[in-house]
């Protein structure tokens, strides 16, 4: 399965993406985690994106698409599917990622869209802030990230609906309920050859992802 997770911050992309990856035994690329890891390690990429993350701004598309290309190449080399968490976030990213993926014969079969209301999202993100101390989980930056989602990410959803690969789920409900609904929908959409037997599979090497993307 080749899956994109789309939803506002706090909707549960991380939790549900992890569930999907475990269920289908596919690697998960969490773009936000990857960028935060580079920031923490003070790599060239980390230094290039640190300010964007702190302000809740989107990282330039060139950097994101460089990571996408590397991740898709790694998944393709391993004969595997993928779950992309937090990608795409702009229409330009969606179109460019689709082009790259199509060239590699790795375009997504499903876009999972998590829907939730701003009030609940803010409540969840502030609760997470108390536990994780993320630089972008302050009230002001949360507001900005939610606005950005409405303006530039939300419009992508219709594009996936038109392509017939959208699974849109009410993410206001308890985690387990949301997860069961997603897995049930994905099982129905699983392509006939979507399962690669364990013996045939090679490990997907995602280490070093993004390392050369700061120059883009
Ligand atoms: P997240 O953990 O998904 O909320 O992402 C945290 C931050 O990483 C975002 O606020 C952006 O600064 C950056 N980021 C993650 N994914 C993307 C993307 N697809 N495009 C641009 N920036 C991104």
């Amino acid at each position: 399965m080749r899956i994109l997770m789309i939803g506002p911050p706090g909707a549960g992309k991380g939790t549900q993406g992890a569930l999907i990856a475990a269920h289908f035994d596919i690697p998960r690329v969490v773009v936000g985690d990857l960028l935060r890891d580079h920031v923490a390690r003070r790599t060239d990429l980390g230094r290039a994106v640190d300010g964007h993350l702190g302000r809740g701004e989107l990282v330039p598309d060139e950097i994101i698409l460089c990571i996408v290309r590397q991740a898709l190449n790694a998944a393709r080399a391993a004969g595997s599917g993928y779950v992309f968490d937090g990608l795409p976030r702009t229409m330009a990213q969606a179109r460019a990622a689709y082009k790259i993926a199509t060239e590699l014969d790795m375009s997504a079969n499903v876009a999972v869209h998590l829907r939730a209301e701003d009030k609940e999202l803010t409540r969840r993100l502030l609760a997470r802030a108390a536990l994780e101390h993320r630089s972008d989980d302050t009230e002001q930056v949360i507001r900005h990230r939610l606005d950005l989602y409405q303006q530039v990410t939300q419009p992508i959803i219709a594009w996936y609906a038109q392509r017939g690969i959208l699974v849109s789920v009410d993410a206001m409900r308890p985690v387990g309920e949301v997860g069961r609904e997603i897995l049930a929908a994905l099982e129905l959409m699983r392509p006939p050859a979507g399962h690669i037997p364990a013996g045939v599979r090679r490990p997907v090497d995602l280490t070093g992802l993004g390392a050369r993307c700061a120059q883009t």
Side-chain angles (χ1 to χ4, degrees), residues 9 13 31-33 35-36 52-53 56-61 64 85-89 93 128 134 136 145:
K13 297 188 296 294
V31 180
D33 284 357
L35 297 173
R36 276 185 290 276
H52 296 86
L53 264 72
E57 296 289 356
L58 295 182
V59 166
D61 285 354
I64 299 296
D85 172 336
L87 181 115
R89 272 189 145 96
Q93 266 181 27
R128 182 174 76 182
R134 265 175 59 163
D136 56 353
R145 288 159 64 208

Side-chain angles (χ1 to χ4, degrees), residues 54-134:
R55 291 188 300 273
E57 296 289 356
L58 295 182
V59 166
D61 285 354
E62 298 72 37
I63 290 181
I64 299 296
L65 293 170
C66 173
I67 293 170
V68 168
R69 188 179 287 279
Q70 288 183 357
L72 288 177
N73 270 319
R76 185 170 185 258
S80 139
Y82 57 80
V83 181
F84 267 120
D85 172 336
L87 181 115
R89 272 189 145 96
T90 65
M91 197 63 220
Q93 266 181 27
R95 290 187 192 283
Y98 179 60
K99 189 161 177 280
I100 295 169
T102 306
E103 280 164 18
L104 295 171
D105 201 16
M106 291 290 283
S107 64
N109 332 95
V110 187
V112 175
H113 170 216
L114 301 180
R115 302 187 311 269
E117 289 164 14
D118 278 7
K119 201 169 159 209
E120 168 64 7
L121 295 169
T122 307
R123 189 194 64 73
R124 290 183 191 176
L125 291 170
L126 288 175
R128 182 174 76 182
L131 295 174
E132 293 183 16
H133 307 293
R134 265 175 59 163

Side-chain angles (χ1 to χ4, degrees), residues 8-10 54-57 116-123 125-126 128 135-151:
R55 291 188 300 273
E57 296 289 356
E117 289 164 14
D118 278 7
K119 201 169 159 209
E120 168 64 7
L121 295 169
T122 307
R123 189 194 64 73
L125 291 170
L126 288 175
R128 182 174 76 182
S135 65
D136 56 353
D137 276 347
T138 63
E139 210 157 344
Q140 195 187 357
V141 179
I142 288 171
R143 183 67 265 153
H144 181 59
R145 288 159 64 208
L146 291 174
D147 287 346
L148 208 54
Y149 177 81
Q150 293 294 342
Q151 287 160 20

